[in-house]
């Protein structure tokens, strides 16, 4: 695979944002206590973390429990890093058992709110650390009974219920790696990931509630199992949580009810002592080829990194009546790191909500904030844009005065949405932490600290401690201020990915070859005259739809697998709510008749192949795609056509000039 050539000067910032917001002067009073309370403190700690990373990370790691101390903090042989080498620990122990041992067993660890609402209100469950200890032990023992051993991969495909967090923690407890698949993905996506991970046990539910409807999780798993069986792969066991009580098919011998297995299981299941570099989980994410990649994270470094980033970035303080809510799904990395693994060791209750933000009405999130007196709230720009569209009145109906820190993640936030969040949700008194990071980085990399960093709408500001982030050209030279370039990380950090499951070459090619010995994130960025980072978006064929990564090739392969399609090209197009939407240009087989019905069929086909998030917003049926004389599809041209803007591209290499005019006519009616 060759890297597309990249001209850093092609990234230009069109933003000239002059608004600055200092941390509110009463922030320390409101919080009771703040870990880092001035920019100069941040700078002091940052400089030390870079000049003596070993001392810095040792101090943090010592705050957690290890069965055996490490011999060396870091072994770095680019691009391979090992952290806390020789140390043994267990992340479930640190999230759960450690809190019980320290006398906090009856404090709330997880607050959960279900989606359905009846006259008595929504269903609410509170799980203490002691509950989590018992439940993870039971499920851990049940999994062992099903034959799961240390190092095996367990697939988890569930709705946002406490048992999803319990399943993740139970795997970690017994030393099995988990691979969580977002509940919105299709059966094909499950089958692909189960195959790649060579996983033999799946934990799922009968269904999941989403906007008042049932997502048929078990049916999807059944179909995935059929696909797997056709490829001679067996799934040994499917564990099914009863949630929606919808009718499901049952295969004796393979399928087991979650409640029956756990009721029969012993409560004694000591956490396994894991080597720091043992795999904790795989999490699949899109890249620029059609095949999702299984990002590998290991135990010790990831644990230390998520613990400390969650603590400092959200200012989590145990014992101060804080309630932290991240609205992500555990199927994404945000849910892994900032609903479960980074939050529980900090002993602040983590709120989980099962359903949609507009069910039963557009004020659901604010209803939840008011009911549970949420103090830290973490969501995505796409959600904020939807709230803006629905109107401020939904938030204004509720008392949001408990909120103290607001966070955002997943894509660049447009200054208009930032200001709305600041004014309407934060009442102009809550710092906004715009956190830049990735599935691969494990945790926050560039982000404000709420009591220390002045913020400016649209910038994720400054690197977290220990993170040597820079904007460089292809030779690795730092770009001058306000000049676009590649976002890289020049030194290893504890939460970094350790590889792509089963594909060393792709790992090297994707992240390490572009700029020698630097981690290349795949984002374009610039730094301004204050050293603040501005993320300008992906530089590969990955588009960011509602804060979720999708490879354009993945969607193209899905389209081409439809019998009516010859060729497809997919590009991103600006979208009011999603940030980027999907436009697909499709050429049909001669027997296929273009029609609105066919377009709908193609959309459904993509949803079946990948999941509803990949459904194209526009499908344009066309006789031909614009190609260069050497046969390459001219994607930039397609982006202009999809966005409805006049093209400023040089079209002299276009093979057939009439194609362009026809494409413009192909707009969906
Ligand atoms: O392009 C960046 C964007 O999301 C990508 C990572 O996606 P994913 O691995 O799915 O993880 C999302 C949640 C961490 C990045 O390469 N991105 C993420 N956060 C931001 C962002 N872009 C701008 N600002 C952010 N705060």
């Amino acid at each position: 695979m060759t890297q597309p050539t990249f001209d850093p000067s092609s990234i230009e910032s069109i933003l000239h944002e002059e608004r600055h917001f200092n941390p509110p002067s009463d922030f320390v009073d409101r919080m009771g206590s703040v870990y880092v309370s001035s920019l100069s403190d941040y700078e002091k700690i940052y400089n030390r973390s870079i000049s003596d990373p070993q001392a810095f990370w040792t101090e943090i790691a010592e705050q957690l429990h290890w069965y055996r101390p490490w011999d060396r903090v870091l072994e770095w042989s680019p691009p391979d890093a090992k952290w806390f080498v020789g140390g043994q620990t267990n992340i479930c122990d640190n999230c759960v058992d450690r809190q019980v041992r320290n006398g906090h067993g009856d404090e709330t660890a997880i607050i959960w709110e279900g989606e359905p609402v009846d006259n008595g209100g929504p269903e609410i469950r509170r799980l203490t650390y002691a509950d989590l200890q018992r439940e993870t032990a039971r499920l851990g023992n049940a999994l062992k009974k099903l034959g799961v051993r240390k190092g095996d991969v367990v697939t988890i495909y569930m709705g946002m219920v406490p048992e999803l967090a319990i399943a993740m923690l139970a795997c970690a407890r017994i030393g099995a790696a988990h691979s969580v698949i977002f509940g919105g993905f299709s059966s094909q996506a499950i089958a692909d990931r189960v195959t790649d991970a060579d996983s033999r046990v799946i934990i799922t539910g009968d269904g999941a509630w989403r906007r008042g409807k049932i997502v048929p999780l078990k049916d999807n798993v059944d179909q995935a199992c059929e696909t797997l069986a056709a490829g001679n792969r067996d799934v040994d066991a499917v564990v099914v949580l009863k949630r929606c009580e919808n009718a499901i098919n049952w295969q004796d011998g393979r399928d087991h009810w979650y409640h029956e297995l756990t009721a029969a299981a012993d409560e004694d299941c000591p956490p396994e002592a894991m080597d720091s570099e043992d795999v904790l989980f795989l999490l699949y994410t899109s890249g620029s080829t059609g095949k999702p990649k299984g990002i590998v994270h290991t135990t010790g470094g990831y644990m230390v990194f998520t613990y400390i980033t969650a603590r400092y970035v959200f200012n989590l303080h145990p014992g101060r009546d804080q309630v932290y809510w991240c609205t992500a799904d555990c199927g994404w990395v945000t849910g892994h790191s900032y609903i479960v693994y980074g939050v529980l060791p900090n002993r602040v209750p983590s709120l989980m909500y099962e359903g949609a933000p507009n069910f039963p009405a557009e004020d659901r999130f604010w209803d939840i904030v008011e009911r549970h007196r949420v103090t830290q709230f973490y969501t995505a720009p796409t959600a904020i844009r939807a709230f803006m569209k629905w109107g401020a009145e939904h938030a204004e109906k509720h008392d949001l005065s408990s909120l103290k820190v607001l966070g955002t993640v997943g894509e660049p936030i447009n200054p208009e949405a930032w200001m709305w969040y600041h004014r309407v949700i934060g009442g102009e008194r809550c710092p906004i932490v715009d956190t830049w990071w990735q599935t691969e980085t494990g945790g926050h990399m560039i982000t404000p600290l709420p009591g220390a960093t002045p913020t400016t709408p649209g910038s994720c500001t400054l690197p977290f401690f220990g993170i040597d982030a820079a904007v460089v050209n292809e030779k690795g030279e730092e770009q001058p201020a306000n000049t676009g370039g590649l976002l890289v990380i020049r030194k290893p950090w504890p939460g970094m990915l350790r590889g792509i499951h089963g594909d060393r070459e792709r790992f090297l090619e994707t992240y390490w070859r572009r700029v020698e010995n630097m981690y290349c994130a795949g984002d374009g960025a610039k730094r301004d005259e204050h050293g603040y980072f501005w993320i300008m978006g992906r530089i590969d064929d990955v588009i960011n739809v509602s804060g979720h990564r999708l490879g354009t090739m993945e969607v193209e392969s899905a389209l081409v697998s439809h019998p009516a399609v010859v060729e497809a090209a997919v590009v991103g197009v600006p979208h009011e709510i999603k940030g980027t939407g999907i436009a697909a240009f499709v050429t049909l087989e001669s027997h296929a008749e273009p029609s609105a019905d066919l377009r709908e069929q193609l959309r459904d086909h993509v949803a079946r192949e990948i999941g509803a998030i990949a459904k194209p917003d526009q499908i344009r049926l066309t006789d031909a795609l614009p190609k260069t004389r050497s046969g390459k599809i001219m994607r930039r041209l397609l982006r202009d056509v999809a966005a409805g803007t006049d093209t400023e591209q040089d079209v002299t290499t276009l093979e057939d000039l009439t194609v362009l005019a026809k494409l413009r006519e192909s707009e969906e009616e």
Side-chain angles (χ1 to χ4, degrees):
M1 192 172 75
T2 52
Q3 299 279 8
T5 47
F6 169 70
D7 169 12
S9 62
S10 67
I11 295 189
E12 247 183 60
S13 174
I14 39 159
L15 275 174
H16 293 287
E17 181 57 62
E18 295 296 338
R19 287 171 288 204
H20 290 276
F21 296 87
N22 287 318
S25 52
D26 62 350
F27 185 65
V28 180
D29 285 346
R30 298 189 69 232
M31 282 266 121
S33 176
V34 172
Y35 293 106
V36 187
S37 55
S38 71
L39 194 57
S40 62
D41 277 1
Y42 159 81
E43 280 163 358
K44 251 185 262 155
I45 304 173
Y46 179 78
N47 291 338
R48 193 184 139 238
S49 75
I50 294 294
S51 63
D52 192 355
Q54 312 237 350
F56 176 80
W57 290 114
T58 297
E59 244 170 59
I60 310 290
E62 281 173 352
Q63 297 171 23
L64 296 163
H65 175 251
W66 297 75
Y67 300 108
R68 183 186 186 283
W70 52 92
D71 304 315
R72 284 172 306 288
V73 175
L74 170 67
E75 273 177 18
W76 175 228
S77 162
D80 298 304
K82 290 184 180 163
W83 284 87
F84 310 109
V85 185
Q88 289 191 330
T89 186
N90 185 291
I91 197 168
C92 178
D93 177 80
N94 275 289
C95 289
V96 177
D97 301 58
R98 184 174 60 104
Q99 317 291 17
V100 177
R101 276 198 302 278
N102 292 341
H104 306 293
D106 56 2
E107 291 178 21
T108 303
I110 291 178
I111 303 171
W112 174 82
E113 185 164 312
E115 189 191 76
V117 181
D118 62 20
N119 291 341
E123 186 187 352
I124 292 168
R125 287 168 62 191
R126 283 173 219 280
L127 289 90
T128 64
Y129 296 98
D131 293 334
L132 286 185
Q133 187 178 41
R134 191 181 58 249
E135 296 307 319
T136 55
R138 281 190 168 153
L139 184 60
N141 278 330
L143 290 172
K144 283 190 198 168
K145 230 180 179 160
L146 293 173
V148 176
R149 298 282 166 264
K150 189 172 166 179
D152 289 353
V153 180
V154 173
T155 298
I156 302 177
Y157 178 72
M158 301 174 86
M160 277 292 284
V161 286
E163 286 77 7
L164 167 52
I166 290 169
M168 293 163 70
L169 290 162
C171 289
R173 188 173 192 91
I174 64 169
H178 54 68
S179 161
V180 184
I181 302 175
F182 171 56
F185 278 127
S186 67
S187 60
Q188 186 60 49
I190 305 171
D192 292 344
R193 286 157 176 75
V194 167
T195 304
D196 187 82
D198 196 15
S199 172
R200 301 193 157 260
V201 173
I202 303 177
I203 308 179
T204 188
D206 50 0
W209 287 112
R210 184 79 197 173
R211 211 164 282 125
K213 299 210 176 76
I214 294 172
V215 181
L217 297 176
K218 175 64 163 59
D219 287 356
N220 293 345
V221 169
D222 289 345
Q223 273 178 39
C225 289
E226 271 176 39
T227 308
L228 288 163
N232 274 331
R233 275 187 175 268
D234 284 329
V235 170
D236 296 338
V238 176
V239 180
V240 188
L241 179 83
K242 192 179 273 187
R243 164 67 187 142
C244 301
E245 314 218 359
N246 48 317
I248 55 171
N249 293 317
W250 198 258
Q251 186 170 315
D252 281 331
R254 185 196 70 186
D255 297 348
H256 308 265
W257 282 113
Y258 182 108
H259 60 273
E260 289 178 1
L261 287 186
T262 49
D266 202 282
E267 279 180 24
D268 185 28
C269 178
E272 196 75 30
M274 301 299 287
D275 282 335
S276 181
E277 283 300 329
D278 278 340
V279 175
L280 175 64
F281 64 83
L282 306 181
L283 183 57
Y284 285 84
T285 188
S286 295
S288 31
T289 76
K291 187 174 179 274
K293 46 196 181 189
I295 302 300
V296 180
H297 281 288
T298 57
T299 305
Y302 173 85
M303 173 178 82
V304 170
F305 193 60
T306 52
Y307 157 74
I308 200 61
T309 45
R311 192 172 184 86
Y312 286 178
V313 173
F314 301 118
N315 202 45
L316 298 180
H317 278 279
R320 286 190 197 267
D321 286 336
Q322 295 185 341
V323 174
Y324 162 90
W325 181 20
C326 165
T327 69
D329 190 288
C330 287
W332 309 107
V333 74
T334 307
H336 282 60
S337 300
Y338 298 113
I339 293 179
V340 182
Y341 291 123
V343 184
L344 296 177
N346 278 297
R347 202 159 53 80
V348 165
S350 181
L351 194 148
M352 276 176 94
Y353 167 56
E354 181 177 37
N358 54 352
F359 189 89
E362 282 77 9
D363 68 338
R364 183 63 189 267
F365 274 16
W366 320 124
D367 190 33
I368 294 175
V369 168
E370 179 173 8
R371 183 166 27 256
H372 300 282
R373 305 294 299 157
V374 171
T375 41
Q376 288 97 338
F377 177 75
Y378 192 30
T379 196
T382 184
I384 299 168
R385 288 191 295 266
F387 300 139
M388 284 172 75
K389 193 164 180 205
W390 295 336
E393 64 271 22
H394 300 293
E396 283 159 2
K397 273 197 278 199
H398 295 277
D399 174 8
L400 305 182
S401 62
S402 58
L403 289 171
K404 297 191 168 99
V405 179
L406 302 178
T408 135
V409 60
E411 54 178 313
I413 179 164
N414 46 311
E416 199 194 347
W418 196 104
M419 288 305 299
W420 190 91
Y421 199 28
H422 172 68
R423 257 189 320 104
V424 179
I425 306 305
E428 300 186 9
R429 38 161 226 283
C430 303
I432 295 181
V433 290
D434 175 355
T435 60
W436 177 85
W437 60 295
Q438 309 177 291
T439 305
E440 291 86 341
T441 70
H444 300 147
M445 300 294 278
I446 308 180
T447 173
L449 298 182
T453 319
T455 53
T456 201
S459 168
C460 52
T461 75
L462 298 168
F464 189 77
F465 302 136
I467 303 304
D468 183 17
V471 176
V472 301
N473 62 19
E474 299 265 356
K475 289 192 217 131
E477 299 157 345
E478 240 178 304
Q479 297 286 73
N482 293 312
T483 308
L486 303 164
L487 179 58
V488 295
I489 312 296
R490 297 184 290 201
K491 288 204 175 73
W493 67 101
M496 68 196 286
L497 79 164
R498 301 302 197 264
I500 295 176
H501 181 67
D503 202 341
R504 176 75 180 172
E505 181 53 29
R506 194 173 177 195
F507 171 64
L508 299 175
E509 187 64 29
T510 311
Y511 306 109
W512 300 100
R513 291 229 172 98
R514 192 155 206 159
V515 190
E516 210 183 341
N517 287 347
M518 296 184 191
Y519 170 80
C520 188
D523 280 339
K526 66 157 195 170
R527 285 186 98 159
D528 66 17
E529 56 282 9
H530 311 288
Y532 275 30
F533 283 83
W534 297 77
I535 308 298
M536 276 117 92
R538 302 289 308 180
I539 53 167
D540 51 14
D541 287 330
V542 172
I543 47 181
N544 195 324
V545 180
S546 301
H548 300 309
R549 269 157 70 168
L550 275 176
T552 50
M553 290 252 302
E554 263 177 272
V555 184
E556 287 165 9
S557 330
L559 284 164
V560 174
S561 72
H562 188 281
V565 176
V566 180
E567 193 173 39
V570 165
V571 294
V573 55
H575 188 283
E576 193 190 354
I577 305 286
K578 299 179 179 181
T580 307
I582 302 174
F585 293 82
V586 174
T587 55
L588 296 177
E589 294 280 1
S590 51
H591 62 79
E593 270 303 310
S595 67
D597 188 44
L598 179 60
R599 274 200 281 263
E600 215 32 55
Q601 273 183 37
L602 293 177
R603 277 203 188 95
D604 290 345
H605 181 72
V606 173
R608 259 196 314 278
E609 290 291 305
I610 304 175
I613 47 164
K615 259 191 176 185
D617 299 278
Q618 301 179 17
I619 291 199
R620 299 193 184 212
L621 305 175
T622 162
D623 297 336
L625 292 169
K627 291 187 183 165
T628 62
R629 284 178 198 126
S630 61
K632 273 174 99 181
I633 295 175
M634 297 176 78
R635 285 166 187 285
R636 285 201 194 178
L637 203 61
L638 291 177
R639 274 194 280 272
D640 287 344
V641 173
T645 48
D646 278 336
T647 198
E648 286 171 18
Q649 314 286 328
D650 178 5
V651 289
T652 49
T653 53
L654 184 63
E655 172 67 11
D656 175 2
L657 272 168
T658 60
V659 167
L660 189 57
K662 286 194 195 140
L663 278 174
R664 293 205 187 278
E665 286 162 15
S666 68
E667 191 167 4
E668 277 186 54
E669 42 303 317

